Amino acid sequence: MSQSLTLNKISKFMGLGFISTLKDLFSGNLGKQDYLKILRKFIVPILSIFLFIGIWHLGAKALYNKEAEFKIEKALTEQGQAAADALKACIASGDISCQPNTLPSPSQVWASYKSLLDDHFLIRADKLAFKEKTAALNEKRVAEGKDPIVYTGRPSFVDQIFRSLKTVFAGFFLALLIAVPLGIFIGLSPTLKSAFNWFIQIFKPVSPVVWYLLVFMIVKTLLIDSSEDSSFTISFISVGLCSMWATLVNTAMGVSTVDKDYINVAKVLKLGPFQKVFKVVLPSSLPLIFTGLKITLSVAWMVLIAIELLAQSPGLGLFVWEEFQNGANDSNAKIIVAMFVIGIIGFLLDRLMLFIQNTVSFDKTDAI
């Protein structure tokens, strides 16, 4: 029984309702409609994945052949038949030094993923060795009131993922702390709504690049005497300011549209302002507030890449830019790996918000 409940919770959290149906498949309790449901929600998605990989493979192969032919033709024109034949043989041999650098195939992306993972384990081993080597010295330095010696080697791909997650959650909570209280005040007061409307309409569409520049101007001055790296601070504040607008608008709308009967009941019960907000207004507004929070988290994750690139913060944004600048034969494949990682994490963040919403709100929402 407990296993069944756990399975249902996982299915709802991930938006994979077909898992429960698959469980019934093996118990023989399915009718015709259930089989059609399995076909639609399980078989069709799997087939579409294989179709996507097949189209990707064929497209990558066509682009590879096109660029290979161009390189051989160019060698023939500029250097002669012997050079063209040599280049053609080199490409056919699979030598990495002469391969066309175009859209990578699925197998190349998978190989780059494994390479990045192996690199992470090597860097982690180096970090552990460094920590053991400096443990006694750092203990002595801390006792003397000095800062410990820290590892300054390059971060791995996994380290950069966690840095990006840290930045996006810090920015998200900053957006929440600003947008929800302000949205409540605006929703409760038509006067404040009129006062802030121009501010929201002007600053809501501002580009992440502009927000980054504004934050950079302010933070670099405030931390001018600090020796600490300000890239994280600049990044998460920029992310928060870029992404808070959906939560602000939805919170204000949710609060302003609370059923008047609820407000009248609060008056009859003589609830104070804070009691009215926390016992009547917020519970009624939660569905719209969480819709705003989901959009905010999605926007935060999207703008993060550009902001990390500009701030030189060692996260996924900087990783993608450095690989693009690197131009190595496997750089394109690593960029595609990062693209899939960004997409998968974005999907999981959306499901996390949906799970929290369905946990705390009376209005249950199905995953899309």
Side-chain angles (χ1 to χ4, degrees):
M1 180 68 177
S2 61
Q3 291 179 341
S4 177
L5 290 174
T6 303
L7 186 63
N8 289 335
K9 288 181 179 179
I10 294 174
S11 301
K12 289 180 180 179
F13 170 65
M14 296 298 294
L16 304 175
F18 64 81
I19 291 179
S20 299
T21 307
L22 286 179
K23 182 189 68 174
D24 294 333
L25 175 64
F26 296 102
S27 64
N29 297 327
L30 297 180
K32 182 179 179 181
Q33 292 300 319
D34 295 318
Y35 283 109
L36 290 175
K37 186 177 180 181
I38 291 175
L39 177 65
R40 184 175 66 253
K41 291 195 173 183
F42 183 67
I43 304 299
V44 171
I46 289 180
L47 290 176
S48 68
I49 291 172
F50 281 110
L51 178 62
F52 169 76
I53 294 174
I55 293 173
W56 175 11
H57 173 75
L58 293 174
K61 186 176 180 180
L63 291 172
Y64 177 91
N65 292 336
K66 182 179 178 64
E67 186 159 339
E69 290 172 3
F70 175 80
K71 292 178 71 173
I72 294 169
E73 186 66 29
K74 185 178 180 181
L76 177 63
T77 304
E78 296 179 355
Q79 302 175 38
Q81 186 64 49
D85 292 340
L87 179 59
K88 186 176 181 179
C90 182
I91 292 174
S93 70
D95 188 343
I96 195 171
S97 64
C98 57
Q99 295 300 303
N101 190 15
T102 183
L103 177 69
S105 66
S107 60
Q108 289 174 313
V109 171
W110 179 250
S112 291
Y113 163 73
K114 292 191 291 184
S115 172
L116 288 169
L117 209 55
D118 292 340
D119 182 62
H120 165 69
F121 289 123
L122 288 174
I123 293 175
R124 189 174 69 171
D126 287 342
K127 287 181 180 178
L128 292 174
F130 176 85
K131 186 177 181 181
E132 292 174 1
K133 185 178 179 180
T134 58
L137 178 58
N138 279 338
E139 188 176 345
K140 182 179 178 181
R141 288 176 64 87
V142 171
E144 294 174 353
K146 300 178 180 178
D147 294 330
I149 301 172
V150 296
Y151 180 82
T152 56
R154 66 182 179 86
S156 70
F157 181 63
V158 176
D159 294 331
Q160 290 170 304
I161 291 174
F162 281 108
R163 171 73 175 221
S164 290
L165 286 171
K166 178 182 175 183
T167 304
V168 81
F169 277 116
F172 172 75
F173 284 116
L174 175 66
L176 186 152
L177 290 174
I178 295 173
V180 172
L182 187 57
I184 291 172
F185 286 126
I186 293 174
L188 289 174
S189 171
T191 303
L192 283 177
K193 183 177 180 180
S194 298
F196 277 95
N197 185 56
W198 70 268
F199 180 84
I200 295 171
Q201 299 305 324
I202 290 176
F203 289 102
K204 183 173 65 172
V206 171
S207 164
V209 176
V210 179
W211 279 117
Y212 163 77
L213 295 174
L214 176 63
V215 173
F216 177 79
M217 295 174 202
I218 298 170
V219 171
K220 78 176 181 65
T221 303
L222 294 176
L223 300 181
I224 196 168
D225 296 326
S226 175
S227 59
E228 295 184 7
D229 179 19
S230 61
S231 63
F232 172 74
T233 304
I234 293 172
S235 296
F236 91 79
I237 293 176
S238 301
V239 167
L241 293 178
C242 284
S243 60
M244 71 176 190
W245 304 100
T247 298
L248 176 59
V249 171
N250 278 44
T251 301
M253 185 181 299
V255 170
S256 64
T257 56
V258 172
D259 195 323
K260 299 302 179 185
D261 290 339
Y262 297 159
I263 304 297
N264 293 333
V265 170
K267 291 179 180 178
V268 170
L269 296 175
K270 297 182 179 179
L271 298 180
F274 286 100
Q275 287 180 312
K276 183 174 74 172
V277 168
F278 286 101
K279 292 187 176 181
V280 177
V281 174
L282 274 180
S284 301
S285 308
L286 276 180
L288 268 177
I289 292 174
F290 266 97
T291 298
L293 288 173
K294 283 178 63 180
I295 297 172
T296 287
L297 189 56
S298 297
V299 171
W301 187 243
M302 284 191 292
V303 302
L304 173 72
I305 305 305
I307 287 174
E308 281 185 332
L309 187 158
L310 293 168
Q312 295 294 292
S313 181
L316 287 170
L318 188 60
F319 170 84
V320 170
W321 179 247
E322 287 180 342
E323 289 299 331
F324 175 74
Q325 292 287 87
N326 184 21
N329 194 266
D330 64 343
S331 290
N332 289 353
K334 288 180 179 179
I335 291 172
I336 301 297
V337 171
M339 183 187 74
F340 277 105
V341 168
I342 291 166
I344 291 169
I345 292 175
F347 165 77
L348 294 175
L349 291 176
D350 182 77
R351 289 305 180 262
L352 175 63
M353 287 302 302
L354 181 67
F355 174 75
I356 296 173
Q357 177 179 350
N358 287 339
T359 301
V360 303
S361 175
F362 61 86
D363 184 21
K364 308 302 180 185
T365 303
D366 293 330
I368 298 176

